[in-house]
Amino acid sequence: MTIARVLLANRGEIAVRIIKACRALGVESVVTVSEADRESLPSKMADRVVCIGPARAIDSYLRVEAIIAAATGTGSDAIHPGYGFLAEKPELADACAKYGLTFIGPRAEHLRQMGNKLLAREMVSGYGIPIVPGSKKVGNIQEASAVAGTIGFPILFKAAAGGGGRGIKIVTDRGELQRAFETASAEARAAFGDNTLYIERYIPNARHIEVQILGDRFGNVIHLGERDCSLQRRYQKLIEEAPASCISNHLREEIRCAAVIIAKEMRYENAGTVEFVVDQDSGKFYFLEMNTRIQVEHPVTEMITDIDLVKEQICIADGQPLAFSQSDVRFTGHAVECRINAESPRDGFRPCPGSIIEWAPPEGPFIRVDTHCFPGYFVPPYYDSLLAKLITQGADRREAVERMRHALESFVISGVDTTIPFLRFLLDQLAYTEGEVNTRWVESRLDQFSL
Ligand code: ADP
Ligand code: ADP
Ligand code: MG
């Protein structure tokens, strides 16, 4: 290992996760924090802490120069960006190259290609992979109207630069088109600084299936199986699992293979995820996007493969070839992850920052908790409200889900509202147990939960 010290440019549970991977590799960790995160768990755990600015992300976690200065000033060799913040911004990867630092992620050109959904769709369809029927850039309402006429409603407006479920607007009929176009465009500009929109046909009875990829500098690419992330609210994932139990083995192989083709053709390096939608009515699958980073839900894959994805990311960035081949990857059992957020599910999922009084996560075999929280921790209002990811494992789906029910039940948190009651409600639904859901299912249960 030539990397001796890693700077991690992130916060929260993923910062803790990366520090643990560094420790396991005998690598030192330096964490950058905002003024609001000085007392955070990552700052207590890391070998060194550098404060890079005020609480607001724009003044701290999104400042490329401040992060580079922290890395060079502490003699770090590499930067791990985690997810969110600068993880998919080519500017950080470029700056790393300029200052002789290793970016723990793919090459900047791949961040650029996949960071623009229009470029990504074009590239991937060039490899012969099906993409959701849709358009190129739509620049005005006339163009949008013409495209919608050929595709047919419902359609989605999507921001080319979008991510995190933001910048997506559904349009069910022609009467809504103009207003939706204007709001989608304004929101995309505000959120991503780029109002480029395009249209995709909306698939009403869809599953979100994604494939975990690892690629090294030598052109080796393997997949670590797929995850089903169909339980979503506002296009954001709530519960994920691996493997996907809703698809035939034939379709599973096709989707895995499509993801590997994409990564091989690109000569993709490091960890990445290729996302697809499966149309449950036609049985067809389509490429959605590729996430060029570690994902929030990576633990479910780790549970069923016994492969430490963050360690692999660091080793790949270090220039090492993958230590295993596709046939070495073994899939065992089933894993489920619930995202626990500081939000009030009975109050429109309003974010609920504040002081955590009691914090007692479940423990035991087959349970994993990824978190940065502890009793007395103050959840700041400035960032994503994710408190913890609870992951359970079982020999099969039924057992993993049963263990999740018990684990959620025994998770004690007081002081802030959390999404646990809503997660428990979902897990008790017959449709969930039977695996008969689609990406709209969670939202269809909201009214019943509120009763
Ligand atoms: P995952 O598939 O890893 O669960 P998400 O879509 O939930 O990814 O996003 C993970 C994190 O990254 C979230 O905090 C989300 O808000 C953030 N994120 C993802 N893409 C973007 C983007 N383009 N701009 C800003 N934040 C993003
Ligand atoms: P993001 O970059 O915000 O994650 P995605 O393109 O991955 O954007 O879409 C987020 C979610 O929105 C998907 O997981 C899926 O549930 C839903 N979605 C996106 N495109 C479509 C589509 N064409 N039809 C149906 N659902 C879609
Ligand atoms: Mg996505």
Side-chain angles (χ1 to χ4, degrees):
M1 188 76 128
T2 57
I3 295 175
R5 188 174 296 156
V6 171
L7 178 122
L8 40 137
N10 215 300
R11 63 176 306 282
E13 67 85 20
I14 196 65
V16 172
R17 172 72 187 85
I18 298 164
I19 294 171
K20 286 181 178 170
C22 289
R23 282 189 186 160
L25 288 166
V27 169
E28 282 183 54
S29 54
V30 179
V31 66
T32 53
V33 297
S34 73
E35 283 166 11
D37 283 333
R38 282 183 194 276
E39 304 301 322
S40 68
L41 187 60
S43 78
K44 293 181 209 292
M45 288 174 68
D47 296 300
R48 279 188 70 177
V49 184
V50 181
C51 185
I52 49 165
R56 289 192 321 162
I58 189 84
D59 299 322
S60 49
Y61 295 107
L62 292 173
R63 286 180 59 208
V64 174
E65 339 74 70
I67 287 160
I68 296 287
T72 52
T74 54
S76 300
D77 310 299
I79 297 185
H80 197 308
Y83 56 72
F85 296 126
L86 296 172
E88 290 165 287
K89 298 273 185 287
E91 293 77 14
L92 180 63
D94 285 339
C96 282
K98 187 170 161 196
Y99 289 91
L101 297 159
T102 300
F103 178 73
I104 303 177
R107 294 200 298 279
E109 61 182 285
H110 289 156
L111 298 174
R112 288 200 165 83
Q113 284 163 341
M114 289 303 179
N116 180 315
K117 291 184 200 249
L118 278 169
L119 279 181
R121 278 164 59 83
E122 197 178 313
M123 195 160 95
V124 162
S125 65
Y127 302 151
I129 308 297
I131 58 172
V132 186
S135 70
K136 303 251 194 258
K137 174 181 172 157
V138 288
N140 54 51
I141 183 71
Q142 288 73 26
E143 282 174 29
S145 178
V147 173
T150 31
I151 294 181
F153 291 94
I155 55 153
L156 293 177
F157 279 121
K158 288 177 112 171
R166 293 179 308 156
I168 301 179
K169 219 144 232 75
I170 187 163
V171 191
T172 48
D173 65 68
R174 190 163 288 281
E176 297 170 12
L177 202 63
Q178 171 115 26
R179 229 181 94 103
F181 179 80
E182 281 159 12
T183 42
S185 172
E187 282 175 19
R189 180 178 293 287
F192 313 111
D194 175 355
N195 69 349
T196 306
L197 297 181
Y198 69 101
I199 290 175
E200 271 182 21
R201 173 192 292 159
Y202 180 71
I203 298 167
N205 185 16
R207 288 272 192 168
H208 171 115
I209 306 287
E210 58 180 37
V211 180
Q212 178 68 55
I213 290 292
L214 286 177
D216 67 17
R217 228 175 255 180
F218 308 93
N220 301 308
V221 170
I222 61 166
H223 71 78
L224 298 183
E226 75 290 340
R227 300 183 280 258
D228 182 339
C229 312
S230 303
L231 282 95
Q232 304 184 350
R233 188 183 145 264
R234 295 193 171 172
Y235 312 110
Q236 287 171 355
K237 300 158 188 168
L238 286 182
I239 304 179
E240 304 97 345
E241 61 186 83
S245 55
C246 61
I247 49 176
S248 67
N249 282 335
H250 177 72
L251 186 55
R252 188 190 321 281
E253 270 321 304
E254 274 194 300
I255 292 175
R256 290 173 170 185
C257 186
V260 169
I261 289 173
I262 293 168
K264 275 217 168 111
E265 290 279 349
M266 295 168 70
R267 288 189 70 89
Y268 187 81
E269 270 173 44
N270 218 280
T273 297
V274 187
E275 297 190 335
F276 298 92
V277 275
V278 172
D279 182 343
Q280 298 195 104
D281 297 332
S282 68
K284 290 189 178 149
F285 71 95
Y286 306 96
F287 169 84
L288 264 188
E289 64 157 347
M290 180 167 189
N291 293 323
T292 47
R293 55 171 161 88
I294 192 76
Q295 274 189 282
V296 175
E297 59 275 19
H298 75 276
V300 289
T301 299
E302 296 187 322
M303 293 290 248
I304 66 159
T305 58
D306 225 17
I307 291 169
D308 181 329
L309 281 163
V310 180
K311 252 165 94 173
E312 293 306 323
Q313 284 194 292
I314 299 171
C315 292
I316 290 168
D318 192 49
Q320 300 173 26
L322 282 174
F324 40 84
S325 63
Q326 189 67 62
S327 57
D328 297 325
V329 180
R330 291 269 175 273
F331 300 98
T332 321
H334 202 94
V336 178
E337 173 182 281
C338 284
R339 298 191 189 193
I340 297 170
N341 289 72
E343 292 171 4
S344 302
R346 293 194 191 278
D347 188 7
F349 292 84
R350 179 178 54 82
C352 193
S355 281
I356 294 178
I357 299 167
E358 290 168 288
W359 178 265
E363 286 173 23
F366 318 112
I367 296 175
R368 168 173 165 179
V369 182
D370 280 22
T371 186
H372 59 293
C373 295
F374 50 85
Y377 175 64
F378 180 80
V379 181
Y382 312 102
Y383 316 106
D384 196 279
S385 61
L386 185 68
L387 294 177
K389 303 183 308 202
L390 176 60
I391 306 106
T392 58
Q393 190 179 22
D396 54 20
R397 184 174 190 271
R398 195 197 50 75
E399 191 173 50
V401 169
E402 194 51 36
R403 285 178 173 151
M404 180 59 80
R405 281 200 189 95
H406 290 298
L408 282 170
E409 194 185 330
S410 57
F411 206 141
V412 178
I413 306 173
S414 67
V416 296
D417 284 349
T418 77
T419 44
I420 289 179
F422 185 59
L423 294 164
R424 291 183 63 189
F425 163 81
L426 293 178
L427 259 63
D428 280 340
Q429 305 284 308
L430 188 64
Y432 175 75
T433 320
E434 302 288 312
E436 283 162 6
V437 301
N438 58 30
T439 51
R440 291 190 304 172
W441 182 77
V442 168
E443 292 189 353
S444 78
R445 306 319 294 156
L446 283 173
D447 284 348
Q448 204 196 330
F449 173 72
S450 308
L451 288 178

